[in-house]
Amino acid sequence: MRLYSSLRRRSRNLGDVYRVVPELVAYDLHPRYLSSSWAQEYGKKNGIPLIGIQHHYAHIGSVMAEHGLSGKVVGVAFDGTGYGTDGTLWGGEFLIAHSRGFRRAGHLKCIPLPGAKRQCANPGGSR
């Protein structure tokens, strides 16, 4: 678990260098991501509120923040798969997003993946 120790050490270092104390810890919804495990451990240990973020909404939200957008946007994310709010893998997302959340407006047809814990909630495509 050298990688996990390195992640903890580097995060402490960044906090020290920038003299930052987080008020909120956000993490990817995928329960098996190392960064998600670290974030949840860090938040609980330090009494900091936690928030899980859907992978593609995080990408769209970062672009919104970069451009100072808070109203509704149509966001498209085609960076591969991410853990969905329904516990299945999502990919090729069309989201109606704003600063307080999103609605999944469409996506590519769901394809079962080898080794996936849960398969498609709706194999036919859009919901």
Side-chain angles (χ1 to χ4, degrees), residues 26-78:
Y27 61 92
D28 192 286
L29 288 179
H30 199 295
R32 297 181 70 195
Y33 280 176
L34 190 61
S35 57
S36 294
S37 296
W38 172 85
Q40 291 176 64
E41 175 189 302
Y42 181 85
K44 288 174 186 171
K45 180 180 176 184
N46 293 288
I48 301 170
L50 297 159
I51 183 169
I53 305 287
Q54 199 282 326
H55 185 87
H56 298 109
Y57 176 54
H59 287 303
I60 293 164
S62 67
V63 173
M64 291 174 65
E66 180 182 350
H67 295 280
L69 305 173
S70 60
K72 285 187 178 179
V73 301
V74 175
V76 182
F78 282 88

Side-chain angles (χ1 to χ4, degrees), residues 74-75 90 92-97 102-107 126-127:
V74 175
W90 288 7
E93 303 306 313
F94 294 83
L95 305 179
I96 307 300
F102 71 92
R103 178 175 62 83
R104 189 182 191 202
H107 58 89
S126 288
R127 301 165 57 139

Side-chain angles (χ1 to χ4, degrees), residues 97-121:
H98 51 88
S99 61
R100 297 209 174 260
F102 71 92
R103 178 175 62 83
R104 189 182 191 202
H107 58 89
L108 295 180
K109 182 179 175 185
C110 184
I111 300 169
L113 297 173
K117 190 169 186 178
R118 277 190 65 192
Q119 298 297 337
C120 305

